[in-house]
Short mmCIF file of all heavy atoms in Angstrom, two decimals:
data_model
loop_
_atom_site.label_atom_id
_atom_site.label_comp_id
_atom_site.label_asym_id
_atom_site.label_seq_id
_atom_site.Cartn_x
_atom_site.Cartn_y
_atom_site.Cartn_z
N LEU A 21 50.78 82.46 -101.31
CA LEU A 21 51.10 82.83 -102.68
C LEU A 21 52.29 83.59 -102.97
O LEU A 21 53.01 83.37 -103.97
CB LEU A 21 49.81 83.56 -103.22
CG LEU A 21 48.60 82.79 -103.66
CD1 LEU A 21 47.57 83.75 -104.13
CD2 LEU A 21 48.92 81.59 -104.64
N VAL A 28 56.00 88.59 -110.33
CA VAL A 28 54.75 89.21 -111.00
C VAL A 28 53.63 88.29 -110.73
O VAL A 28 53.73 87.02 -110.76
CB VAL A 28 54.90 89.15 -112.49
CG1 VAL A 28 53.76 89.74 -113.29
CG2 VAL A 28 56.13 90.01 -113.07
N TYR A 29 52.46 88.92 -110.22
CA TYR A 29 51.39 88.20 -109.76
C TYR A 29 50.07 88.53 -110.51
O TYR A 29 49.96 89.69 -111.01
CB TYR A 29 51.18 88.32 -108.28
CG TYR A 29 52.23 87.61 -107.46
CD1 TYR A 29 53.55 88.18 -107.32
CD2 TYR A 29 52.15 86.36 -106.94
CE1 TYR A 29 54.57 87.55 -106.69
CE2 TYR A 29 53.02 85.66 -106.29
CZ TYR A 29 54.40 86.24 -106.12
OH TYR A 29 55.24 85.48 -105.51
N LEU A 30 49.04 87.67 -110.49
CA LEU A 30 47.86 87.89 -111.13
C LEU A 30 46.71 87.59 -110.19
O LEU A 30 46.58 86.53 -109.64
CB LEU A 30 47.74 86.97 -112.35
CG LEU A 30 46.43 86.99 -113.13
CD1 LEU A 30 46.27 88.35 -113.81
CD2 LEU A 30 46.42 85.94 -114.16
N ASP A 31 45.82 88.61 -109.93
CA ASP A 31 44.61 88.44 -109.26
C ASP A 31 43.53 88.42 -110.17
O ASP A 31 43.08 89.44 -110.81
CB ASP A 31 44.42 89.67 -108.13
CG ASP A 31 43.15 89.37 -107.26
OD1 ASP A 31 42.39 88.48 -107.55
OD2 ASP A 31 42.96 90.24 -106.44
N CYS A 32 42.95 87.26 -110.32
CA CYS A 32 41.93 87.03 -111.45
C CYS A 32 40.57 87.53 -111.01
O CYS A 32 39.70 87.70 -111.91
CB CYS A 32 41.68 85.52 -111.65
SG CYS A 32 43.06 84.83 -112.53
N THR A 33 40.27 87.84 -109.80
CA THR A 33 39.03 88.31 -109.27
C THR A 33 39.19 89.44 -108.35
O THR A 33 39.09 89.36 -107.21
CB THR A 33 38.33 87.18 -108.56
OG1 THR A 33 39.20 86.52 -107.75
CG2 THR A 33 37.78 86.17 -109.58
N ILE A 43 48.51 91.51 -101.76
CA ILE A 43 49.54 91.16 -102.56
C ILE A 43 50.48 92.24 -102.79
O ILE A 43 51.77 92.19 -102.66
CB ILE A 43 49.01 90.54 -103.86
CG1 ILE A 43 48.27 89.29 -103.61
CG2 ILE A 43 50.26 90.29 -104.79
CD1 ILE A 43 47.57 88.69 -104.90
N ARG A 52 55.26 93.21 -109.29
CA ARG A 52 54.13 93.75 -110.12
C ARG A 52 52.85 92.89 -109.80
O ARG A 52 53.02 91.65 -109.67
CB ARG A 52 54.37 93.80 -111.58
CG ARG A 52 55.40 94.81 -112.00
CD ARG A 52 55.59 94.66 -113.53
NE ARG A 52 54.45 94.89 -114.33
CZ ARG A 52 54.40 94.41 -115.56
NH1 ARG A 52 55.39 93.73 -116.17
NH2 ARG A 52 53.30 94.69 -116.24
N LEU A 53 51.71 93.57 -109.87
CA LEU A 53 50.44 92.71 -109.83
C LEU A 53 49.55 93.19 -111.02
O LEU A 53 49.46 94.52 -111.28
CB LEU A 53 49.75 93.07 -108.49
CG LEU A 53 48.32 92.55 -108.33
CD1 LEU A 53 48.43 91.03 -108.32
CD2 LEU A 53 47.54 93.14 -107.15
N ILE A 54 48.94 92.22 -111.61
CA ILE A 54 47.93 92.46 -112.66
C ILE A 54 46.60 91.80 -112.06
O ILE A 54 46.51 90.83 -111.50
CB ILE A 54 48.38 91.71 -113.96
CG1 ILE A 54 49.59 92.14 -114.49
CG2 ILE A 54 47.24 91.90 -115.00
CD1 ILE A 54 50.33 91.17 -115.33
N SER A 55 45.64 92.79 -112.16
CA SER A 55 44.28 92.37 -111.60
C SER A 55 43.13 92.28 -112.85
O SER A 55 43.32 93.15 -113.74
CB SER A 55 43.72 93.24 -110.60
OG SER A 55 44.62 93.34 -109.49
N ILE A 56 42.22 91.46 -112.59
CA ILE A 56 41.09 91.30 -113.63
C ILE A 56 39.77 91.30 -112.91
O ILE A 56 39.67 90.87 -111.89
CB ILE A 56 41.19 89.89 -114.36
CG1 ILE A 56 42.63 89.60 -115.00
CG2 ILE A 56 40.15 89.81 -115.43
CD1 ILE A 56 42.81 88.25 -115.52
N LEU A 87 42.45 84.83 -119.12
CA LEU A 87 43.66 85.29 -118.39
C LEU A 87 44.88 85.42 -119.31
O LEU A 87 45.82 86.15 -119.11
CB LEU A 87 43.88 84.58 -117.16
CG LEU A 87 44.26 83.10 -117.15
CD1 LEU A 87 45.73 82.97 -117.28
CD2 LEU A 87 43.75 82.44 -115.93
N ASP A 88 44.97 84.36 -120.22
CA ASP A 88 46.03 84.34 -121.18
C ASP A 88 46.13 85.59 -122.10
O ASP A 88 47.17 86.11 -122.37
CB ASP A 88 46.03 83.13 -121.95
CG ASP A 88 44.67 82.83 -122.66
OD1 ASP A 88 43.64 83.47 -122.29
OD2 ASP A 88 44.71 82.11 -123.68
N VAL A 90 44.84 88.51 -121.22
CA VAL A 90 45.20 89.70 -120.34
C VAL A 90 46.67 89.74 -120.13
O VAL A 90 47.37 90.83 -120.24
CB VAL A 90 44.46 89.44 -118.99
CG1 VAL A 90 45.00 90.48 -118.03
CG2 VAL A 90 42.91 89.81 -119.18
N LEU A 91 47.28 88.58 -119.91
CA LEU A 91 48.78 88.59 -119.62
C LEU A 91 49.45 89.02 -120.88
O LEU A 91 50.51 89.72 -120.77
CB LEU A 91 49.27 87.19 -119.21
CG LEU A 91 48.78 86.72 -117.78
CD1 LEU A 91 49.21 85.33 -117.44
CD2 LEU A 91 49.35 87.75 -116.67
N VAL A 99 54.00 84.05 -114.71
CA VAL A 99 53.81 84.75 -113.42
C VAL A 99 54.22 83.89 -112.31
O VAL A 99 54.37 82.73 -112.47
CB VAL A 99 52.47 85.37 -113.24
CG1 VAL A 99 52.04 86.31 -114.38
CG2 VAL A 99 51.46 84.18 -113.31
N ASP A 100 54.44 84.48 -111.21
CA ASP A 100 54.92 83.82 -110.06
C ASP A 100 53.80 83.28 -109.11
O ASP A 100 53.97 82.49 -108.32
CB ASP A 100 55.84 84.63 -109.08
CG ASP A 100 57.05 85.15 -109.85
OD1 ASP A 100 57.02 86.06 -110.57
OD2 ASP A 100 58.15 84.37 -109.70
N GLY A 101 52.62 83.86 -109.28
CA GLY A 101 51.44 83.38 -108.49
C GLY A 101 50.17 83.87 -109.14
O GLY A 101 50.11 85.04 -109.72
N ILE A 102 49.10 83.17 -108.91
CA ILE A 102 47.83 83.48 -109.35
C ILE A 102 46.66 83.20 -108.32
O ILE A 102 46.79 82.14 -107.65
CB ILE A 102 47.43 82.69 -110.59
CG1 ILE A 102 48.46 83.06 -111.69
CG2 ILE A 102 45.98 83.09 -111.07
CD1 ILE A 102 48.16 82.21 -113.04
N LEU A 103 45.85 84.11 -108.09
CA LEU A 103 44.75 83.96 -107.07
C LEU A 103 43.43 84.07 -107.75
O LEU A 103 43.21 84.92 -108.56
CB LEU A 103 44.88 85.11 -105.98
CG LEU A 103 43.72 84.94 -104.98
CD1 LEU A 103 43.73 83.74 -104.14
CD2 LEU A 103 43.75 86.31 -103.97
N MET A 104 42.42 83.13 -107.55
CA MET A 104 41.10 83.20 -107.89
C MET A 104 40.25 83.13 -106.62
O MET A 104 40.30 82.14 -105.94
CB MET A 104 40.76 82.03 -108.83
CG MET A 104 41.68 82.00 -110.00
SD MET A 104 41.27 80.56 -111.08
CE MET A 104 42.48 80.60 -112.35
N ALA A 232 50.32 79.37 -117.29
CA ALA A 232 50.87 80.71 -117.18
C ALA A 232 51.89 80.80 -116.07
O ALA A 232 52.57 81.89 -115.89
CB ALA A 232 49.77 81.65 -117.03
#
Side-chain angles (χ1 to χ4, degrees):
L21 282 181
V28 180
Y29 288 81
L30 177 65
D31 183 353
C32 288
T33 43
I43 294 169
R52 288 176 62 199
L53 173 68
I54 301 156
S55 300
I56 305 172
L87 66 89
D88 52 337
V90 168
L91 291 177
V99 297
D100 296 89
I102 299 174
L103 176 63
M104 299 177 188

